[in-house]
Amino acid sequence: MGATETAEPMVSVRKPYRLVSRDFHPENSVVRVGNIAFGENRVIVMSGPCAVESREQVMAAAEFMHHLGVPVLRGGAYKPRTSPYSFQGMGVEGLKLLAEARERYGVLVVTEAVDHESLAHVAEWADIVQIGARNMQNFELLKAVGQVGKPVLLKRGLAATIDEWLMAAEYVAAHGNPNIILCERGIRTYETKTRNTLDISAIPVVKQLSHLPVVIDPSHAAGQWQWVAPLARAAVAAGADGLIIETHPNPAEALSDGPQSLNFPHLEELMQEVKRVARAVGREI
Ligand code: PEP
Ligand code: MN
């Protein structure tokens, strides 16, 4: 046998993540926020506008979520926009509107932090800190998220492999925050009809590799509101622990992501559909 033909690899390959792996924690982890829990039998729905635009808009959305029994209101106060000329968000003023909506309608709030400065504000005002696809590998930001005392919704990067996504989660866990909810929101492929390609297989694959809850964002995957409900149904059927869906009181006038935003009647219809799917797979919504 020559020197290069050894039966064992010269260096043992170490797993790139440990704390978030199923080996480390064989049971599903449950991330509790207020009176809800991600990773138990109930599929948690989060919905609201892409961006916080005004008091009227946020209150209308929050009131409708309350009416439908959607427990978490989404809405970005800091928006990472592809064009520097697009609406960049209302900042702290937007966070205060979300907090006001929580007081009035009893919904929990998830909203995105884009850097260290916004993270401090988001951690103060929101219930769940969202880290967006574009920041999934902002390692300094991930370290800082590890130190906030709020659960994090960690979106998968546009071109991130599942291992890279889990290593991003490992950063957060290794820096002290075990309350991580993973969010698949579509990845970039050669297909251009949809905005991104929803990787439904990420649900069973991540659930095998990791104990963390996995939620699906069909809105940023589809890019068109008509395709959001079918993807949401597929996600629930495949075992997602939650959904995050963009809804706007008047999508035609939305300052961001209008084409993929549902109006209120469409969200109501989607809720009825996903409830039926959830029942069929032994879950509730
Ligand atoms: C969003 O949730 O509005 C958003 C910007 O999402 P993503 O980071 O997945 O593009
Ligand atoms: Mn959006």
Side-chain angles (χ1 to χ4, degrees):
M1 191 185 265
T4 54
E5 296 173 59
T6 49
E8 296 289 323
M10 298 286 282
V11 181
S12 70
V13 181
R14 287 194 54 184
K15 271 238 169 84
Y17 43 84
R18 189 177 73 90
L19 301 174
V20 304
S21 76
R22 190 59 90 176
D23 298 343
F24 180 76
H25 188 285
E27 301 299 312
N28 287 339
S29 8
V30 175
V31 176
R32 295 184 192 285
V33 195
N35 57 351
I36 60 166
F38 291 83
E40 288 187 330
N41 195 252
R42 183 180 180 196
V43 178
I44 304 296
V45 180
M46 301 170 270
S47 191
C50 178
V52 173
E53 298 169 2
S54 66
R55 168 173 279 108
E56 299 68 52
Q57 177 231 27
V58 175
M59 297 309 151
E63 182 181 22
F64 196 68
M65 297 315 147
H66 173 76
H67 161 75
L68 275 189
V70 168
V72 185
L73 176 70
R74 65 147 287 149
Y78 300 91
K79 295 307 303 175
R81 304 305 301 281
T82 301
S83 165
Y85 306 116
S86 300
F87 178 59
Q88 302 284 312
M90 291 179 73
V92 176
E93 206 189 320
L95 296 178
K96 290 182 182 168
L97 290 176
L98 290 167
E100 188 182 327
R102 173 178 50 215
E103 289 308 304
R104 272 171 72 171
Y105 297 104
V107 286
L108 296 161
V109 166
V110 58
T111 191
E112 180 168 356
V114 293
D115 54 17
H116 284 71
E117 190 187 334
S118 56
L119 177 63
H121 297 306
V122 168
E124 179 185 345
W125 293 97
D127 300 291
I128 305 171
V129 176
Q130 177 175 327
I131 296 298
R134 287 154 196 81
N135 267 319
M136 190 208 81
Q137 285 192 317
N138 183 338
F139 300 117
E140 296 307 314
L141 186 59
L142 296 176
K143 289 180 194 173
V145 171
Q147 280 151 37
V148 303
K150 295 271 168 84
V152 55
L153 181 79
L154 179 62
K155 290 200 159 192
R156 180 179 182 180
L158 279 74
T161 65
I162 287 174
D163 272 346
E164 287 164 344
W165 185 21
L166 291 174
M167 283 188 270
E170 185 80 11
Y171 261 93
V172 177
H175 283 81
N177 189 350
N179 296 311
I180 304 162
I181 303 150
L182 296 168
C183 177
E184 157 65 34
R185 44 77 74 204
I187 51 175
R188 188 162 278 184
T189 68
Y190 54 78
E191 183 53 71
T192 54
K193 284 280 181 278
T194 45
R195 184 174 177 183
N196 292 284
T197 298
L198 183 64
D199 183 9
I200 282 283
S201 46
I203 303 168
V205 174
V206 169
K207 284 190 164 287
Q208 185 172 325
L209 296 171
S210 174
H211 51 86
L212 297 174
V214 182
V215 310
I216 291 287
D217 174 346
S219 306
H220 290 86
Q224 278 293 326
W225 72 265
Q226 292 92 337
W227 304 328
V228 170
L231 296 181
R233 297 197 302 264
V236 173
D241 295 301
L243 296 168
I244 179 163
I245 293 167
E246 287 185 340
T247 304
H248 194 285
N250 184 357
E253 290 188 356
L255 295 182
S256 72
D257 288 348
Q260 69 196 34
S261 297
L262 302 183
N263 61 23
F264 291 167
H266 289 141
L267 180 68
E268 188 157 14
E269 229 171 90
L270 177 149
M271 286 298 285
Q272 286 163 7
E273 293 173 12
V274 292
K275 276 182 187 170
R276 281 201 292 274
V277 175
R279 218 173 298 129
V281 295
R283 298 191 68 169
E284 54 185 320
I285 292 200

PDB file of all heavy atoms in Angstrom, residues 250-265:
ATOM      1  N   ASN A 250     -53.448  47.234   1.372  1.00  0.00           N
ATOM      2  CA  ASN A 250     -53.661  47.610  -0.029  1.00  0.00           C
ATOM      3  C   ASN A 250     -52.368  47.345  -0.813  1.00  0.00           C
ATOM      4  O   ASN A 250     -51.555  48.259  -1.012  1.00  0.00           O
ATOM      5  CB  ASN A 250     -54.050  49.096  -0.088  1.00  0.00           C
ATOM      6  CG  ASN A 250     -54.369  49.518  -1.505  1.00  0.00           C
ATOM      7  OD1 ASN A 250     -54.253  48.719  -2.451  1.00  0.00           O
ATOM      8  ND2 ASN A 250     -54.752  50.770  -1.673  1.00  0.00           N
ATOM      9  N   PRO A 251     -52.176  46.082  -1.249  1.00  0.00           N
ATOM     10  CA  PRO A 251     -50.892  45.714  -1.869  1.00  0.00           C
ATOM     11  C   PRO A 251     -50.479  46.609  -3.034  1.00  0.00           C
ATOM     12  O   PRO A 251     -49.279  46.845  -3.237  1.00  0.00           O
ATOM     13  CB  PRO A 251     -51.128  44.272  -2.346  1.00  0.00           C
ATOM     14  CG  PRO A 251     -52.190  43.743  -1.452  1.00  0.00           C
ATOM     15  CD  PRO A 251     -53.079  44.915  -1.134  1.00  0.00           C
ATOM     16  N   ALA A 252     -51.459  47.138  -3.770  1.00  0.00           N
ATOM     17  CA  ALA A 252     -51.119  47.969  -4.942  1.00  0.00           C
ATOM     18  C   ALA A 252     -50.365  49.222  -4.514  1.00  0.00           C
ATOM     19  O   ALA A 252     -49.638  49.819  -5.323  1.00  0.00           O
ATOM     20  CB  ALA A 252     -52.382  48.349  -5.698  1.00  0.00           C
ATOM     21  N   GLU A 253     -50.539  49.641  -3.256  1.00  0.00           N
ATOM     22  CA  GLU A 253     -49.866  50.860  -2.800  1.00  0.00           C
ATOM     23  C   GLU A 253     -48.700  50.596  -1.858  1.00  0.00           C
ATOM     24  O   GLU A 253     -48.152  51.535  -1.269  1.00  0.00           O
ATOM     25  CB  GLU A 253     -50.890  51.785  -2.146  1.00  0.00           C
ATOM     26  CG  GLU A 253     -51.806  52.323  -3.208  1.00  0.00           C
ATOM     27  CD  GLU A 253     -52.755  53.389  -2.761  1.00  0.00           C
ATOM     28  OE1 GLU A 253     -52.793  53.712  -1.557  1.00  0.00           O
ATOM     29  OE2 GLU A 253     -53.482  53.865  -3.640  1.00  0.00           O
ATOM     30  N   ALA A 254     -48.309  49.319  -1.714  1.00  0.00           N
ATOM     31  CA  ALA A 254     -47.218  48.985  -0.786  1.00  0.00           C
ATOM     32  C   ALA A 254     -45.908  49.645  -1.226  1.00  0.00           C
ATOM     33  O   ALA A 254     -45.622  49.739  -2.423  1.00  0.00           O
ATOM     34  CB  ALA A 254     -47.039  47.471  -0.735  1.00  0.00           C
ATOM     35  N   LEU A 255     -45.137  50.100  -0.246  1.00  0.00           N
ATOM     36  CA  LEU A 255     -43.838  50.727  -0.558  1.00  0.00           C
ATOM     37  C   LEU A 255     -42.759  49.682  -0.808  1.00  0.00           C
ATOM     38  O   LEU A 255     -41.692  50.005  -1.313  1.00  0.00           O
ATOM     39  CB  LEU A 255     -43.416  51.662   0.585  1.00  0.00           C
ATOM     40  CG  LEU A 255     -44.307  52.879   0.816  1.00  0.00           C
ATOM     41  CD1 LEU A 255     -43.750  53.748   1.934  1.00  0.00           C
ATOM     42  CD2 LEU A 255     -44.461  53.701  -0.466  1.00  0.00           C
ATOM     43  N   SER A 256     -43.016  48.430  -0.402  1.00  0.00           N
ATOM     44  CA  SER A 256     -42.083  47.373  -0.791  1.00  0.00           C
ATOM     45  C   SER A 256     -42.821  46.040  -0.875  1.00  0.00           C
ATOM     46  O   SER A 256     -43.754  45.783  -0.107  1.00  0.00           O
ATOM     47  CB  SER A 256     -40.886  47.296   0.163  1.00  0.00           C
ATOM     48  OG  SER A 256     -41.261  46.762   1.389  1.00  0.00           O
ATOM     49  N   ASP A 257     -42.404  45.229  -1.827  1.00  0.00           N
ATOM     50  CA  ASP A 257     -42.917  43.866  -2.021  1.00  0.00           C
ATOM     51  C   ASP A 257     -44.434  43.768  -2.209  1.00  0.00           C
ATOM     52  O   ASP A 257     -45.028  42.742  -1.840  1.00  0.00           O
ATOM     53  CB  ASP A 257     -42.430  42.952  -0.881  1.00  0.00           C
ATOM     54  CG  ASP A 257     -40.932  42.640  -1.001  1.00  0.00           C
ATOM     55  OD1 ASP A 257     -40.330  42.926  -2.058  1.00  0.00           O
ATOM     56  OD2 ASP A 257     -40.364  42.104  -0.028  1.00  0.00           O
ATOM     57  N   GLY A 258     -45.035  44.790  -2.829  1.00  0.00           N
ATOM     58  CA  GLY A 258     -46.475  44.745  -3.122  1.00  0.00           C
ATOM     59  C   GLY A 258     -46.898  43.531  -3.953  1.00  0.00           C
ATOM     60  O   GLY A 258     -47.879  42.865  -3.615  1.00  0.00           O
ATOM     61  N   PRO A 259     -46.159  43.210  -5.031  1.00  0.00           N
ATOM     62  CA  PRO A 259     -46.624  42.109  -5.900  1.00  0.00           C
ATOM     63  C   PRO A 259     -46.756  40.766  -5.186  1.00  0.00           C
ATOM     64  O   PRO A 259     -47.574  39.933  -5.579  1.00  0.00           O
ATOM     65  CB  PRO A 259     -45.541  42.039  -6.995  1.00  0.00           C
ATOM     66  CG  PRO A 259     -44.944  43.424  -7.024  1.00  0.00           C
ATOM     67  CD  PRO A 259     -45.006  43.917  -5.606  1.00  0.00           C
ATOM     68  N   GLN A 260     -45.961  40.553  -4.136  1.00  0.00           N
ATOM     69  CA  GLN A 260     -46.037  39.265  -3.428  1.00  0.00           C
ATOM     70  C   GLN A 260     -46.909  39.332  -2.177  1.00  0.00           C
ATOM     71  O   GLN A 260     -47.052  38.339  -1.465  1.00  0.00           O
ATOM     72  CB  GLN A 260     -44.635  38.776  -3.057  1.00  0.00           C
ATOM     73  CG  GLN A 260     -43.942  39.618  -1.991  1.00  0.00           C
ATOM     74  CD  GLN A 260     -42.454  39.356  -1.911  1.00  0.00           C
ATOM     75  OE1 GLN A 260     -41.806  39.078  -2.906  1.00  0.00           O
ATOM     76  NE2 GLN A 260     -41.894  39.435  -0.713  1.00  0.00           N
ATOM     77  N   SER A 261     -47.488  40.509  -1.918  1.00  0.00           N
ATOM     78  CA  SER A 261     -48.274  40.671  -0.682  1.00  0.00           C
ATOM     79  C   SER A 261     -49.719  40.270  -0.901  1.00  0.00           C
ATOM     80  O   SER A 261     -50.344  40.653  -1.898  1.00  0.00           O
ATOM     81  CB  SER A 261     -48.211  42.129  -0.216  1.00  0.00           C
ATOM     82  OG  SER A 261     -46.878  42.474   0.093  1.00  0.00           O
ATOM     83  N   LEU A 262     -50.255  39.532   0.059  1.00  0.00           N
ATOM     84  CA  LEU A 262     -51.666  39.171   0.032  1.00  0.00           C
ATOM     85  C   LEU A 262     -52.482  40.348   0.546  1.00  0.00           C
ATOM     86  O   LEU A 262     -52.007  41.134   1.366  1.00  0.00           O
ATOM     87  CB  LEU A 262     -51.932  37.968   0.945  1.00  0.00           C
ATOM     88  CG  LEU A 262     -51.153  36.683   0.666  1.00  0.00           C
ATOM     89  CD1 LEU A 262     -51.611  35.590   1.634  1.00  0.00           C
ATOM     90  CD2 LEU A 262     -51.341  36.227  -0.775  1.00  0.00           C
ATOM     91  N   ASN A 263     -53.748  40.455   0.079  1.00  0.00           N
ATOM     92  CA  ASN A 263     -54.661  41.386   0.739  1.00  0.00           C
ATOM     93  C   ASN A 263     -55.371  40.612   1.860  1.00  0.00           C
ATOM     94  O   ASN A 263     -55.131  39.416   2.047  1.00  0.00           O
ATOM     95  CB  ASN A 263     -55.623  42.040  -0.261  1.00  0.00           C
ATOM     96  CG  ASN A 263     -56.497  41.007  -0.963  1.00  0.00           C
ATOM     97  OD1 ASN A 263     -56.710  39.908  -0.445  1.00  0.00           O
ATOM     98  ND2 ASN A 263     -57.002  41.349  -2.139  1.00  0.00           N
ATOM     99  N   PHE A 264     -56.230  41.275   2.610  1.00  0.00           N
ATOM    100  CA  PHE A 264     -56.824  40.616   3.775  1.00  0.00           C
ATOM    101  C   PHE A 264     -57.685  39.402   3.389  1.00  0.00           C
ATOM    102  O   PHE A 264     -57.555  38.331   4.003  1.00  0.00           O
ATOM    103  CB  PHE A 264     -57.603  41.619   4.631  1.00  0.00           C
ATOM    104  CG  PHE A 264     -56.721  42.622   5.350  1.00  0.00           C
ATOM    105  CD1 PHE A 264     -57.275  43.756   5.939  1.00  0.00           C
ATOM    106  CD2 PHE A 264     -55.344  42.435   5.457  1.00  0.00           C
ATOM    107  CE1 PHE A 264     -56.478  44.681   6.619  1.00  0.00           C
ATOM    108  CE2 PHE A 264     -54.537  43.355   6.131  1.00  0.00           C
ATOM    109  CZ  PHE A 264     -55.111  44.481   6.709  1.00  0.00           C
ATOM    110  N   PRO A 265     -58.590  39.545   2.393  1.00  0.00           N
ATOM    111  CA  PRO A 265     -59.392  38.352   2.044  1.00  0.00           C
ATOM    112  C   PRO A 265     -58.534  37.168   1.600  1.00  0.00           C
ATOM    113  O   PRO A 265     -58.835  36.012   1.916  1.00  0.00           O
ATOM    114  CB  PRO A 265     -60.284  38.843   0.896  1.00  0.00           C
ATOM    115  CG  PRO A 265     -60.316  40.330   1.033  1.00  0.00           C
ATOM    116  CD  PRO A 265     -59.014  40.738   1.643  1.00  0.00           C
TER     117      PRO A 265
END
